[in-house]
Amino acid sequence: MIHIKIATRSRNISIRRSSQKMEPPSLDLAKVYENRSPQLKFEDVHRLQEWMKTKKHYLIDLDEIDLINFLHQCDFDVEKAKKRITGATIFQTRARIFQDIDMRSESIKAAMETVLVSHITLKDDNPGMAIFLKVLATDAKQIDAANLIKVMLMYTYLWLRGLEPPADHVIIVDLEVVSVAHLAALDLRTLRELSCFYNHFYFGTLCKVHFINVGSWIDRLLSILKSTMGRDFSEKICVHSNANNLHEFISLEQLPKELGGDFLSFHQMHEAMKELLERHADELLNKYRVQSSDLLHIEMTYNEPDLFGLDGKFRRLDVD
């Protein structure tokens, strides 16, 4: 009996230590400026900071790391960065995927039980990182697409902040439990909003999206994504029947145990995900809170077509 208690305690300690490895690194800003692209100037970051102060009651909360990422995405043009920050603020007041960002709310907690999102380190010859996403809910009725996307975006944001810009990364999506019923439950407005975010306001560079453990329904899923996310996104998708091809850019030490690797188990990764999001709940809540809606009437630089498609409407897409 004593032996069992000691073994259990040792295993729990091991899980806690493994979970600690899942804490995102802190980005050293001094090194960012030291290794910076010639176009990145501290003076430009300072100009954006001063501009932000004059609009602190209107714009979303952005720190120095965020501003550097915006400059990278705008080819280091300060005026373009201002426009993009303004557009991002307006977009976040409208998009469902950025409403009610509270990782301690019951709705988000429920969504966190339906999905696993985790960070995976790539091999040294592959720049950036990988975000692993696995749908856990076998019952499609448990899926809330908007809240599931919130969990993914918030987790990804915390890890991208630890990468020197440009933040290159890939997304690996495990669709083992997904069925046609899951596809029918997809919220197409949520996908449209996600497409807009990736195309206009994203702070990282999404290189590839790998779908693994796909079923016979994959053509339907690809059709939905092409219709809602656009051709550019669909061209980044790679489809795999299993996880074997992941060995090309992920070492066995970094692959989850259930995929044939020596990393954490899905359960350990899931627990680490929930702990991380709960630990940063206040930070995420403050970041995506807009202080005032007056900006919508003062500086409307993006209109509905810019934000949600060519005509501002959502096409109806029926899935058999």
Side-chain angles (χ1 to χ4, degrees), residues 127-144:
M129 68 172 187
I131 291 295
F132 178 79
L133 185 149
K134 179 178 176 63
V135 178
L136 300 177
T138 55
D139 184 355
K141 295 179 181 179
Q142 296 179 344
I143 297 293
D144 183 317

Side-chain angles (χ1 to χ4, degrees), residues 196-214:
C196 178
F197 177 63
Y198 276 130
N199 290 332
H200 297 290
F201 309 119
Y202 199 49
F203 42 77
T205 302
L206 179 59
C207 302
K208 292 289 183 181
V209 179
H210 296 271
F211 288 151
I212 64 173
N213 295 325
V214 300

Side-chain angles (χ1 to χ4, degrees), residues 37-75:
S37 167
Q39 298 99 318
L40 176 61
K41 301 176 182 178
F42 174 79
E43 294 78 9
D44 290 341
V45 178
H46 180 69
R47 286 173 60 190
L48 284 177
Q49 289 174 323
E50 292 301 308
W51 173 75
M52 291 283 297
K53 288 179 182 178
T54 66
K55 305 183 181 302
K56 61 182 179 180
H57 297 298
Y58 305 123
L59 299 180
I60 52 179
D61 183 32
L62 299 175
D63 60 18
E64 193 167 355
I65 297 175
D66 295 320
L67 295 179
I68 290 174
N69 276 305
F70 268 105
L71 281 171
H72 269 272
Q73 294 302 312
C74 295
D75 299 320

Side-chain angles (χ1 to χ4, degrees), residues 115-289:
V115 64
L116 158 63
V117 189
S118 187
H119 164 268
I120 294 181
T121 302
L122 299 174
K123 289 182 178 179
D124 292 339
D125 55 347
N126 290 270
M129 68 172 187
I131 291 295
F132 178 79
L133 185 149
K134 179 178 176 63
V135 178
L136 300 177
T138 55
D139 184 355
K141 295 179 181 179
Q142 296 179 344
I143 297 293
D144 183 317
N147 284 332
L148 187 152
I149 294 299
K150 291 176 190 178
V151 174
M152 180 193 75
L153 290 179
M154 297 307 102
Y155 184 93
T156 302
Y157 168 76
L158 292 175
W159 277 94
L160 286 181
R161 283 176 57 81
L163 293 180
E164 286 194 31
D168 295 337
H169 64 290
V170 300
I171 296 178
I172 302 167
V173 186
D174 188 339
L175 300 173
E176 182 181 18
V177 304
V178 171
S179 65
V180 174
H182 287 80
L183 304 189
L186 279 177
D187 182 343
L188 300 184
R189 179 186 174 101
T190 294
L191 292 178
R192 230 9 167 0
E193 291 178 353
L194 186 61
S195 172
C196 178
F197 177 63
Y198 276 130
N199 290 332
H200 297 290
F201 309 119
Y202 199 49
F203 42 77
T205 302
L206 179 59
C207 302
K208 292 289 183 181
V209 179
H210 296 271
F211 288 151
I212 64 173
N213 295 325
V214 300
S216 58
W217 38 259
I218 185 60
D219 287 340
R220 298 184 184 183
L221 175 59
L222 295 178
S223 176
I224 293 173
L225 294 178
K226 186 174 182 178
S227 299
T228 55
M229 302 289 287
R231 179 179 297 177
D232 289 344
F233 181 86
S234 62
E235 288 178 350
K236 296 179 180 180
I237 295 176
C238 302
V239 177
H240 313 281
S241 58
N242 53 53
N244 290 341
N245 289 349
L246 300 183
H247 298 166
E248 296 178 10
F249 55 92
I250 300 176
S251 65
L252 291 178
E253 290 78 11
Q254 297 298 328
L255 270 182
K257 294 185 184 301
E258 289 86 346
L259 297 181
D262 301 320
F263 193 53
L264 305 180
S265 67
F266 287 156
H267 173 72
Q268 290 172 312
M269 294 164 67
H270 192 217
E271 290 300 310
M273 177 203 81
K274 291 187 289 185
E275 291 173 9
L276 175 65
L277 291 174
E278 290 168 359
R279 200 159 52 244
H280 292 271
D282 289 337
E283 172 190 344
L284 294 170
L285 180 63
N286 291 331
K287 175 175 176 53
Y288 293 98
R289 177 187 293 143

